[in-house]
C-alpha cells in the first residue's frame, strides 16, 4: 500500500472528478481489468481514451492507498458537487471500514 497524504488525495480526486469517482467507485474497486473500466467510462461518459485511462489509474491508486473512505467523505462534504452525489458518497463511505 502506497502512502498518500491529503494534498495528494485532493489532487487525485480533482484528476478523476468527484462525481466520476462516486458514480464508478464500484467499477474502480472491482477486479475488472482496467481496459474494461476504461471502455465503460468512454461509452457512458464520452471521455477520450487517454484521459479515461488516467482517471481509472488515478482512482485505483486512491483505493489501493487505502484512502477510499477518506475520498468519499471529502466528496460528501464538498459544496462543489450536487446533493445527490454528496449523499451517495456519504452512504458509500459509511459502508467502508
Amino acid at each position: 500500500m502506497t502512502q498518500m497524504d491529503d494534498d495528494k488525495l485532493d489532487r487525485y480526486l480533482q484528476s478523476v472528478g468527484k462525481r466520476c469517482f462516486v458514480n464508478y467507485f464500484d467499477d474502480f474497486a472491482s477486479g475488472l481489468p482496467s481496459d474494461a473500466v476504461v471502455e465503460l467510462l468512454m461509452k457512458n461518459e464520452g471521455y477520450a481514451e487517454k484521459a479515461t485511462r488516467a482517471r481509472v489509474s488515478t482512482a485505483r491508486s486512491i483505493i489501493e492507498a487505502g484512502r477510499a473512505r477518506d475520498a468519499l467523505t471529502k466528496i460528501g462534504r464538498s459544496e462543489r458537487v450536487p446533493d445527490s452525489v454528496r449523499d451517495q458518497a456519504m452512504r458509500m463511505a459509511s459502508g467502508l471500514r
Side-chain angles (χ1 to χ4, degrees), residues 15-42:
S15 295
V16 175
K18 292 175 179 162
R19 182 185 61 82
C20 181
F21 188 80
V22 171
N23 289 345
Y24 293 95
F25 179 80
D26 291 336
D27 299 304
F28 296 139
S30 74
L32 283 175
S34 291
D35 286 346
V37 181
V38 167
E39 288 297 321
L40 178 69
L41 265 71
M42 286 173 52

Side-chain angles (χ1 to χ4, degrees), residues 33-85:
S34 291
D35 286 346
V37 181
V38 167
E39 288 297 321
L40 178 69
L41 265 71
M42 286 173 52
K43 179 178 163 244
N44 291 349
E45 303 295 334
Y47 298 145
E49 183 175 356
K50 186 175 179 180
T52 306
R53 288 194 182 284
R55 285 176 199 262
V56 171
S57 173
T58 303
R60 287 189 161 173
S61 293
I62 292 170
I63 294 165
E64 289 164 9
R67 299 297 310 265
R69 186 169 192 216
D70 296 329
L72 291 167
T73 301
K74 279 180 176 280
I75 295 166
R77 293 180 178 150
S78 175
E79 296 294 323
R80 301 184 76 177
V81 295
D83 289 346
S84 60
V85 174

Side-chain angles (χ1 to χ4, degrees), residues 1-17:
M1 189 181 311
T2 15
Q3 288 291 94
M4 183 177 293
D5 63 23
D6 287 347
D7 289 338
K8 189 171 187 178
L9 177 60
D10 289 340
R11 284 193 312 275
Y12 276 31
L13 275 176
Q14 189 174 9
S15 295
V16 175

